[in-house]
Each structure stands twice: as structure tokens, then as C-alpha cells.
Amino acid sequence: MKSAINCIEWLVEQMGGLARLIVLALVLLVATDVILRYLFSIGPVALQELEWHLISPIALIGLSYTMKHRADVRVDFLYERFNWRLRAFIDLIAALLTLSVAVVITYLSIAYVQQSYMLNEGSPDPGGLPMRYLLKAFIPLGFGLLALQGLAETIRSLLVLCGKLPPESPAVVEEAA
Amino acid sequence: MSGNEWLIISMIGGFLGLMMIGIPVAIALAVSGFVAGYIGFGPMLFNLMPARLFGVVTNYTLMAVPLFVFMGVMLEKSKVAENMLETIGKAMGGVSGGMGLAIILVGVLMGASTGIVGATVVTVGLLTLPSLLRRGYAPSIACGTICASGTLGQIIPPSLVLILLSDIVGESVGTLFAAAFIPGLVLAVIYVVYLLILGKLKPEWMPAIPAEERAQTSGRQLARDLLKDVLPPLLLVVAVLGSIVGGIAAPTEAASMGALGALFIALAFRRLNWKLVQESLHGTLTISAMVFFILLCAQPFSLSFRGLGGDQMVHHLFDMLPGGEMGALLFLMALLFVLGFFLEWIEISYIALPMFLPVFINYGTDMVWLSILVAMNLQMSFLTPPFGWALFFLKGVAPPGVSTRDIYVGAVPFVLLQFLAVVVLFQFPSLVTWLPEVIGW
Amino acid sequence: ADKESFNFKMTNAYPPGAPFYVQGPGSPMDFCDKVKAMSGGRVNIQHFAAGELIPAMEGFNAVAAGTVEMNAANAYFWAGKIPAAQYFTTVPFGMSTQGMNAWLYHGGGLELWHEIYADYGLIAFPMGNTGVQMTGWFRNPLESVDDLKGLKMRIPGLAGKVYKELGVNPVLLPGGEIFPALERGVIDAAEFVGPFQDRRLGLHKAAKYYYTTGWGEPTNVTELLINKKVWDGLPKDLQLIIMTAAQACVTESFVWCEAVNADAMTDLVENEGVIAQSLPDSIVKRLKEVTADTLETMAAADPTTAKVHKSFMDFRKKHDSWAALSEKPFLNLL
Ligand code: NA
Ligand code: NA
């Protein structure tokens, strides 16, 4: 069971590593586009389109990564007064709900990506980027990873409830940044 | 009330309930939206979902979120932000709340460089919250000040709210930008006055840096520190703003100048290394995704609100509209404020405004003035517990010791101050209309 | 007889409140009202502006998938899926609104449109027209082709590709950022629509030189997109009501634009100090050459586009010689 958690979180961490690099790429790309345009009046349409294309992987791959690092937002003023057992129970509910939401969205978005693929959808702007279905594919990919992370959290909170893992106290939860 | 109207109310109640017991906010939004939508409408409604999600993650203006967050995280990790605030605190001498005032200033400058509330609240929070707490500020005061100054970006141009409103009311973006400028500053001034008064009354909530510690820094040293610690980050914000004003970058792109600048500053302070970059990327990814998590999961909620006829429900309220321009205005303000409790502002603008506009056109209401009142009101709802988006975003970056309660409690006085600002604008419409006329926008 | 009634959803690629594209005479919302009244309430279309139900550019996929029944947009927004769709909105240096309507309704244009869209389970009709658009707003006057070199211009689509060949640097910006970018000189020029719409955006406060005429968009057809299954399931009388209402909107929106643009242009020139003038001949000549090459290249790359291109150009040739003897001499009398 613990190895299943480790396996999932390894995957989430690897994909997160990719998304981290995309953050750096976004920073450098937008800055480069601005400077090239200002100084040399050049700016290929494809590079300009690539700017907003990079939001998708950051936002969507980031979902599971954020959840793994406990950086998602919770309202904690009742939670922090609960005992460890109730907390683990809430965590279990949260994990199951995350799993369900992510599965539903993944399922819904697969047909959406398929349609885009059938249409061979690309940018309507001449010189823009082709294969828009790849961009759309980040939706099922991101929510699929979130479903996996939700599964890992489900297993973890079950293990905590069974006493096979120590409860996490909020104080040791990793800081967001 | 019809079955669907009960469902809408249950959906809002369900969200509140799930959120309060500690389910992540994003998941609480999505679950309540999905459940209510499926019960009331069936699965067909959610076939529209993927398109809406795609709309969120390809929204050009939201590109500013990762860019600004990167700037903020970089300045925080490289300790540049901390040094800056400490030095400002010392420079403020014995004035209680000095660092709080610095935050309002940072909020105004950030607000003048972006229009995305998530980006500003998160960045200001990252930069300032740890230092304030270490200096003994009451967590609620610190959080309230950060949320309030972070939301200033909504009203200070450039602003996403104003761009959308300009489309709906048919005034040019430039006119609304000019109109919002003075109200934004008025609001900032109100905050500053409040903090100064509070500092006098309750110095223990926002302590000045102790005299002994200040004494260790000579006047000359302080001047040197100011130059070394405060100038570079200040230059950074000037670079972002300057690239907009100087015609180098469009508002969204300008955020990249800040991100790039932060890299250079870390380099100049000889703190740039691969570990710092890795940490900054990690922070940027988790924080940006936290913002997007909420925005994405708000989609099933908004979609169900619409699918279940939430807009018709608002329409019914509309029948209760009292007579007279003033009555209609007050009614609109109250409605926007209440909708702001649970809906995203874009959704609110789309649902409520097109319905009300014909009424105000009939009364001959000044559309520019009306737009600014609406923008102020939406901004107020960002700050209002329990659902204010700014509060969630700050919670996402707050250190473990800061609870939701601190943030909620801290926000309340600022909501009241905003209310005061709305009243001022109500009384003195020329605060809004003067500047656009003078500069001819 | 037993009269069945229908409830449809129509999405729109334009944001709420936009005159012409969303509301006003001959607009999509007006179309919905007309259809409801003409059918005695048997066809009830609920209209959603961009972002209310789905984002701006997702209408095609949503109607094809049957999630919504109808969408209002311009066909050239789908050029990333169907390159030939460009021709059903406007063609640079193509035909005027008169010629475009003649081609669509009586020159085989609409049949081609239907033929191509049938593969996607769709059918479309013209539902509006802005008439001729403008070249755009420039911060500095243009004298020769050299003035275009290195010029930063907000210009999407096919015209952007043509300008690029002449050394222009096309910049992609969302509608809301055009004003601040032009005002501060991030871009040197911007194309949007026509005098009425541009004034609404405040572009005259950012740049003073307003060049005419819209060589890039000499006409601009609003597309009514309908799911083919839904369409085929409608009784003949309701189909006729929808077609007739759409055609009425083509005329009504066009003449509305003619009226408000005339007022707006006068106001811009007389009260706002705008300098409205046509492009220098030397620039027009180059633009025309490059456009012809670009269109040929596009047509050669895709058989469907080639077919539509040929139909359009054959008709244009015929119509041009008639126009040279009818409209053109008359306009020269002005
Ligand atoms: Na702003
Ligand atoms: Na145009």
C-alpha cells in the first residue's frame, strides 16, 4: 500500500519537475518576446501564441503537484480544533471527493480532446501553432494526475485511520512556498 | 420557490458546509456544483465543462499569475523582500504600523502593474507576511492589510474588471482607467489613515522596530541600507510599470519584466544559484496552480448556477426593484455584494449588469461613475468573509501559523473602509468623472 | 395540426453588450427575438454571449458535438480547422458586401458552405454584415512601403500574414489590451472594426491617423451556425422562418452599420481631430500583389480551399466587370 503511494507520488513529482521547467520557459519566453519586439521589431506569431499555450501545463499539471505539497487552500478554523481521528476522517472525505471530481472531469474531457483531434484543430491565425488537441490534452492529463494523487491521499488517510501511519500534525505540513 | 431555486440554495449551502469542515476550497466548489447540476439538470449540462476549463487555462491575461508569482517568490527566497521591509521599518522610526504602510505602497505599485487579483494578493502576501509576523504584528492586522492592498489592483488601472466592464457598459477602456485612478488612490489613502490611527491606539498590534535596535543603525548606515535594500525592489516595480508607461510592454506582458528583473536582482546580490532557481520554480508552480485550482473548480459551480436558472432567480429579484435612480443603485450595490459571496466576479458582471443597464440608461445615470461603483463593489466582495477570493489566495501562501480565522477577522475592518469609500464616491461623483474629462480620455 | 415547439441555446463568440455582434438591430439577440415572434413562440432560442456558457472560440466544437444547437461568430474563426472557412467571412481585396451577398446567395457560395460544413454535421447561414471595415489606426502617417518596415501592428488573421511580407510585425493582443498598448506605443498601429466600434474602444485617443479602406476586410459576414441534425429535425416552415430571419438580419445589421458609422466618422473627424485618409497607392499595390500570392499558396495547399477559391474568384471576375460599369462610376460621382 505504501509503495503504491510512493509510486504515484514519484510520478506526480516527475511531472511537476517538467511543469517547473515550463514556468522558467514562460518567464524567459515572454521577456524575450517583449525585448525582441522592442529592440528589433521582430516577433513570430508562433512564439507569441506559445506564450499563452504554456499556461495550460503549469495550471493543469500543477494541480496534483499542489495537492501533493499540501499547498491547496483549506478553511481551517474548525479543522484545527478537531482531534487527529476526525482530521484523518475529513482528509479521507477530501481525498475521495478529489478523486471523484478528477475522474468525472477526466472522463468528460476525453471526448472533448478526441473531437479536437478529429477536426485536426490548429490555430486560426496563419503562422500560428498547429495541433491544438495537444494543448487540450493537458485537461485530461492534469485531472488524471489529480485523480491519482487523490487515490494516494485516500490510501494514506485510510492507513492513518487504521493506525498504520502516524497522523500528520498541521504544524509539520510543508509550507506552500 | 421552485425546485431548482431550492437546489441553488442547497448548492451554496453545500459549498459553505464542505468548506467549513476543512475540505479544500476548490474541491468543495466543484463537488457542490457537480451534485446540484446533475440532480437538477442531468449530465448534458456538463458537456460544456471542458470548453470552460480550456477557457480558463488559455486566458491570456491569467499569464500574469505565474509571472508575478515568480517575481514574488524570487524576491522572497533571495531575502531581498525581507531586507527591504526591515529597512523601511527602521526608516519609519517610532511610527507604529510603519511596515504596514509600506505594504499599502507595495499594493498600490503592484496594482498599477497588473489587474489580476490572484497575482497581487499572492505576491504581496509572499513578500511581506513572514516579515510582519516576525516583527510581532498581530496576524489578523497583517493579513487584513495584505488582502486589502492586494485587491487595490482591481481598481487601480490596468484592471481586468474595468476592461470587462468597458465592454458591457460601452465606455472606452481608457475612460474607465482614467476614472478609476483617483478612487483607487482615495482608497489607498483611507487605508493609510486607518493604519496610522490604529497604530496610535493599539501600538502593540503593529509594533515599530524597537528603539534599541534602531539605535544600532546609524543615520548614515540607514541611508546606505535604504539605497541597497529598498531601491532595487522598488526599481523592479518601476520596471514593470515603466515598461507599460514607456511603451515597451502591454499590461500582461509587463509582468515578465518583473520576473526577469527579479532574476537580475538576485544575481546582483550574488544570491542567484541553481538551488534558488529550483526553489523559486517550485514555489511559483504550487502557488500558481493553487490559484488555477480554485478558478478551474469554480467552473462546475458557475455552470450549475446558470443551468439551474440562477440568472432567472436574480431576474426575479429584479422585480422587487424599488423606484427611483437612487433606489435602483442601492439595490444593485446590495445585489452585487451578495452575489459576490459565492460567484466569481466575471459571472456576476455577466448575470447582473446586462439586466440592470437598461434601467440606468433610462435614468440617464453616468455610466462611467456607475462602472467605478460596480468595480469598487466587486472588489469589496473579494475581501468579504467567508467566500472572498482574496482571502483564499492569501491562505494559500500564508505560513502554517496563520489560520483562516486570522484572515477573516483581519479583512472585516477593510471591508468597512471600502464601504466608506463607496459612500464617498456616491457623494462625490466628480472624484470619478474629473480626471477623464481633464485628460480627454 | 399539432405544432411541436423547440428550445435551443445559441452561444456567441463576442462578449456581452457588444453592439452589432451581440445586441442591437440585426444582431444575434435580435435574430432570436425575430424567430420567436415569427414562429409564434414555437422556436425559443436562448442567447449566451461569450464566456456566459463557453469561451469565445469554442462555439464550433460545441455545436458540432450537439452541446448547444446554434452559435453566432465569423466563419474565419474556424480557419484552424477548415482553412476554406476564411472565404465565407471575407477575403482581402475580395468583394464588397454587395458582391459577397451576390456570390453567397446566387453565385454558389452558400451551397459550397453547406457542402463543406456537412462533413462536420453542421449547416451555416449569413446572419449579419458590418459592411466594409477600416485599414486601422496608426500613430504616424504612412507615405511609402518603407514606412511599414518594422511597424508593430495589432492585426490578426490573413491580413496579418500579408502585412508581415511587407515587413510589418504582427502583434497578437486581446481586445482589451489594444487601447493601453496603442496609447503607450507598445504597438504603432491597430486594426479593429469600423468607426462606430473603434470609437467605442477609444482608439482615436491613442492614435490620430485613421486609414481607410478595409482592404483586409472589405466585407464581414456574421455566421449563424446550426447543428445539422437539429436543422434536419425542424419542420419546413420553421426552417424557412430561421432562414428568412437570418437574411433580414443581414440587411438590417448592414444598414445599421452604414448609419452609425457615418455618424461616428463625422464625429471622429470633426470633434476628435482624427485624420481619416486612404492608403497611399504604392502601399495598396504591394499589398494587393502579396495578397494574391498568399491566397494562391493557401489554395494550393488544400483541395477544398482550392475549390472555394476558384468559385469565389470566378464570381469576382464577373462581378468586378459589372461593378466597374455600375457602382464604381457612381461612387466616382460623389
Ligand atoms: Na491594476
Ligand atoms: Na476587423
Side-chain angles (χ1 to χ4, degrees):
Chain A
M1 280 312 225
K2 282 175 201 163
S3 65
I5 299 180
N6 290 338
C7 195
I8 290 172
E9 297 201 325
W10 177 84
L11 179 66
V12 167
E13 198 58 37
Q14 294 307 307
M15 294 302 288
L18 184 68
R20 286 200 305 258
L21 287 180
I22 294 177
V23 171
L24 186 61
L26 178 71
V27 169
L28 297 178
L29 176 68
V30 181
T32 309
D33 278 352
V34 169
I35 292 168
L36 282 183
R37 185 186 61 220
Y38 186 71
L39 292 182
F40 308 106
S41 284
I42 44 177
V45 169
L47 278 189
Q48 295 181 51
E49 271 198 353
L50 188 61
E51 292 180 0
W52 59 261
H53 275 58
L54 295 183
I55 309 170
S56 273
I58 295 171
L60 289 160
I61 296 179
L63 298 178
S64 49
Y65 189 79
T66 293
M67 175 149 255
K68 175 180 176 276
H69 289 276
R70 291 278 191 277
D72 52 343
V73 184
R74 289 170 187 239
V75 170
D76 55 9
F77 58 69
L78 293 178
Y79 186 85
E80 67 189 4
R81 290 182 198 152
F82 294 157
N83 62 27
W84 73 268
R85 198 179 289 276
L86 191 49
R87 272 192 207 154
F89 182 69
I90 301 268
D91 287 347
L92 177 64
I93 304 279
L96 283 171
L97 290 177
T98 306
L99 178 60
S100 335
V101 166
V103 166
V104 170
I105 295 180
T106 309
Y107 169 77
L108 285 171
S109 54
I110 285 174
Y112 176 72
V113 179
Q114 268 171 344
Q115 185 199 27
S116 173
Y117 179 74
M118 306 285 253
L119 292 170
N120 191 18
E121 198 173 5
S123 165
D125 239 318
L129 295 170
M131 301 190 279
R132 191 151 286 181
Y133 43 87
L134 288 183
L135 182 61
K136 292 188 171 178
F138 280 110
I139 301 176
L141 178 69
F143 279 94
L145 284 169
L146 182 66
L148 283 176
Q149 184 60 36
L151 183 64
E153 302 285 345
T154 306
I155 301 173
R156 178 177 292 128
S157 33
L158 280 174
L159 291 178
V160 171
L161 278 174
C162 303
K164 300 213 168 104
L165 269 178
E168 260 168 299
S169 87
V172 301
V173 166
E174 190 178 344
E175 205 180 323
Chain B
M1 269 205 308
S2 73
N4 273 359
E5 289 179 348
W6 279 115
L7 257 179
I8 291 175
I9 292 171
S10 319
M11 175 170 85
I12 297 167
F15 169 40
L16 183 67
L18 287 173
M19 188 179 92
M20 284 304 169
I21 60 168
I23 305 292
V25 172
I27 297 299
L29 263 173
V31 168
S32 47
F34 269 123
V35 171
Y38 270 106
I39 295 175
F41 206 95
M44 268 307 278
L45 179 68
F46 293 107
N47 290 341
L48 295 166
M49 264 284 294
R52 286 185 75 117
L53 299 178
F54 185 67
V56 173
V57 297
T58 52
N59 183 334
Y60 180 85
T61 39
L62 289 181
M63 204 163 74
V65 173
L67 294 175
F68 270 119
V69 172
F70 182 84
M71 172 178 103
V73 177
M74 196 78 191
L75 290 183
E76 190 234 357
K77 298 274 175 219
S78 60
K79 305 265 182 256
V80 172
E82 188 184 323
N83 294 349
M84 173 183 81
L85 278 176
E86 294 273 318
T87 307
I88 292 181
K90 284 179 192 154
M92 288 282 179
V95 180
S96 295
M99 290 165 92
L101 299 185
I103 290 167
I104 306 287
L105 180 70
V106 174
V108 170
L109 290 174
M110 281 288 297
S113 18
T114 183
I116 309 274
V117 73
T120 41
V121 170
V122 158
T123 313
V124 177
L126 269 173
L127 290 180
T128 61
L129 190 51
S131 303
L132 288 182
L133 294 177
R134 204 177 37 249
R135 281 300 175 178
Y137 272 58
S140 63
I141 301 287
C143 291
T145 310
I146 291 168
C147 285
S149 65
T151 48
L152 276 174
Q154 284 302 298
I155 190 93
I156 295 175
S159 147
L160 209 53
V161 176
L162 294 176
I163 288 175
L164 184 92
L165 285 178
S166 80
D167 246 336
I168 299 179
V169 303
E171 292 288 342
S172 91
V173 177
T175 310
L176 292 194
F177 277 8
F181 195 71
I182 294 178
L185 290 184
V186 166
L187 199 51
V189 169
I190 291 180
Y191 291 167
V192 166
V193 171
Y194 166 74
L195 285 178
L196 284 175
I197 293 174
L198 196 66
K200 279 267 176 267
L201 296 178
K202 295 272 179 194
E204 68 276 17
W205 285 355
M206 37 202 330
I209 291 188
E212 315 82 79
E213 198 183 327
R214 272 184 280 130
Q216 289 169 7
T217 317
S218 68
R220 177 175 301 200
Q221 179 63 33
L222 187 62
R224 217 178 295 138
D225 283 352
L226 273 174
L227 209 59
K228 180 167 99 8
D229 295 333
V230 179
L231 200 60
L234 206 58
L235 276 179
L236 196 56
V237 183
V238 172
V240 176
L241 259 184
S243 67
I244 299 176
V245 177
I248 297 168
T252 302
E253 301 169 329
S256 72
M257 295 292 101
L260 189 68
L263 271 173
F264 278 122
I265 287 184
L267 183 71
F269 278 83
R270 296 165 190 243
R271 287 175 198 162
L272 188 69
N273 53 46
W274 184 236
K275 185 164 164 284
L276 177 70
V277 173
Q278 279 291 353
E279 280 176 6
S280 302
L281 293 177
H282 168 81
T284 309
L285 181 59
T286 48
I287 293 165
S288 307
M290 176 269 289
V291 173
F292 278 103
F293 206 170
I294 293 181
L295 293 178
L296 286 168
C297 287
Q299 299 306 315
F301 193 88
S302 310
L303 195 56
S304 294
F305 186 81
R306 237 170 222 291
L308 296 171
D311 38 356
Q312 265 94 4
M313 209 168 135
V314 176
H315 214 115
H316 290 157
L317 289 176
F318 192 70
D319 295 337
M320 299 161 31
L321 194 66
E325 185 185 6
M326 206 38 85
L329 257 175
L330 291 174
F331 187 77
L332 175 67
M333 290 293 121
L335 182 70
L336 288 179
F337 187 66
V338 173
L339 287 177
F341 283 173
F342 52 88
L343 280 186
E344 199 198 343
W345 63 271
I346 299 183
E347 210 63 35
I348 301 171
S349 322
Y350 281 6
I351 291 172
L353 292 181
M355 244 179 297
F356 276 86
L357 281 184
V359 178
F360 290 109
I361 291 171
N362 268 341
Y363 284 127
T365 311
D366 184 331
M367 282 298 145
V368 176
W369 179 61
L370 183 69
S371 306
I372 302 304
L373 282 178
V374 168
M376 287 286 256
N377 197 314
L378 289 175
Q379 189 192 341
M380 199 155 71
S381 71
F382 267 116
L383 268 184
T384 308
F387 296 107
W389 297 80
L391 312 175
F392 296 151
F393 293 149
L394 182 63
K395 180 71 178 69
V397 294
V402 176
S403 71
T404 313
R405 197 181 155 275
D406 294 327
I407 299 179
Y408 282 5
V409 170
V412 172
F414 287 96
V415 174
L416 297 177
L417 291 175
Q418 291 221 329
F419 187 74
L420 177 70
V422 172
V423 173
V424 170
L425 291 190
F426 231 90
Q427 284 301 309
F428 305 103
S430 59
L431 286 173
V432 173
T433 51
W434 179 75
L435 190 63
E437 276 160 26
V438 168
I439 60 174
W441 271 14
Chain C
D2 183 31
K3 301 251 163 122
E4 199 187 343
S5 66
F6 298 85
N7 289 309
F8 297 144
K9 289 188 283 294
M10 175 192 274
T11 47
N12 194 319
Y14 290 91
F20 176 87
Y21 294 108
V22 172
Q23 60 188 41
S27 68
M29 284 181 91
D30 188 22
F31 166 83
C32 298
D33 292 342
K34 280 187 164 71
V35 169
K36 187 172 180 181
M38 287 163 84
S39 65
R42 286 163 62 210
V43 181
N44 198 343
I45 310 172
Q46 202 186 350
H47 178 274
F48 297 93
E52 291 188 341
L53 216 50
I54 52 172
M57 298 299 177
E58 289 293 307
F60 185 96
N61 298 31
V63 177
T67 351
V68 299
E69 291 81 9
M70 299 178 178
N71 184 67
N74 300 110
Y76 64 10
F77 291 159
W78 324 132
K81 309 176 241 274
I82 308 173
Q86 172 74 45
Y87 288 79
F88 304 123
T89 302
T90 188
V91 176
F93 291 108
M95 285 184 279
S96 66
T97 301
Q98 274 183 335
M100 186 70 169
N101 281 337
W103 176 63
L104 285 171
Y105 290 115
H106 293 288
L110 195 54
E111 278 101 358
L112 272 174
W113 198 349
H114 288 175
E115 185 186 315
I116 294 169
Y117 276 32
D119 291 345
Y120 301 87
L122 297 166
I123 188 166
F125 297 96
M127 187 180 44
N129 201 310
T130 61
V132 67
Q133 301 202 349
M134 295 284 108
T135 307
W137 299 88
F138 291 73
R139 286 164 62 90
N140 297 305
L142 296 172
E143 262 135 37
S144 70
V145 181
D146 287 340
D147 293 335
L148 290 177
K149 290 218 168 66
L151 195 83
K152 289 165 282 202
M153 181 172 187
R154 188 267 182 185
I155 172 95
L158 201 48
K161 192 174 163 71
V162 172
Y163 273 121
K164 196 174 167 61
E165 298 295 318
L166 270 61
V168 170
N169 169 25
V171 179
L172 307 178
L173 281 180
E177 291 201 358
I178 302 176
F179 173 81
L182 186 62
E183 207 267 332
R184 299 314 320 165
V186 177
I187 51 177
D188 309 305
E191 185 265 8
F192 191 52
V193 185
F196 180 81
Q197 310 276 4
D198 294 3
R199 184 181 58 175
R200 213 168 161 264
L201 224 56
L203 295 184
H204 54 287
K205 288 160 183 163
K208 282 291 167 227
Y209 295 91
Y210 198 16
Y211 279 94
T212 75
T213 176
W215 65 269
E217 307 203 25
T219 184
N220 188 292
V221 179
T222 306
E223 174 194 72
L224 165 64
L225 188 69
I226 308 174
N227 181 289
K228 187 78 164 44
K229 272 208 199 101
V230 169
W231 176 254
D232 291 338
L234 282 173
K236 285 282 168 289
D237 60 332
L238 294 184
Q239 287 188 344
L240 194 61
I241 284 173
I242 287 176
M243 283 196 281
T244 309
Q247 207 163 19
C249 285
V250 171
T251 314
E252 200 171 342
S253 63
F254 173 60
V255 295
W256 180 78
C257 282
E258 285 290 293
V260 296
N261 278 333
D263 278 343
M265 191 56 122
T266 310
D267 173 51
L268 287 171
V269 172
E270 286 179 1
N271 306 323
E272 303 286 347
V274 166
I275 299 157
Q277 56 194 12
S278 47
L279 281 175
D281 291 342
S282 61
I283 294 184
V284 174
K285 184 165 163 288
R286 280 295 291 139
L287 286 170
K288 217 168 173 172
E289 289 163 4
V290 177
T291 300
D293 289 347
T294 310
L295 290 173
E296 295 289 343
T297 317
M298 267 177 52
D302 172 50
T304 312
T305 310
K307 191 167 152 189
V308 181
H309 179 80
K310 182 167 187 310
S311 165
F312 185 94
M313 290 304 168
D314 288 353
F315 190 88
R316 184 177 86 166
K317 200 170 167 206
K318 193 166 68 177
H319 185 262
D320 277 357
S321 34
W322 161 239
L325 296 169
S326 57
E327 285 293 305
K328 202 174 170 193
F330 177 74
L331 290 176
N332 284 340
L333 296 179
L334 296 180

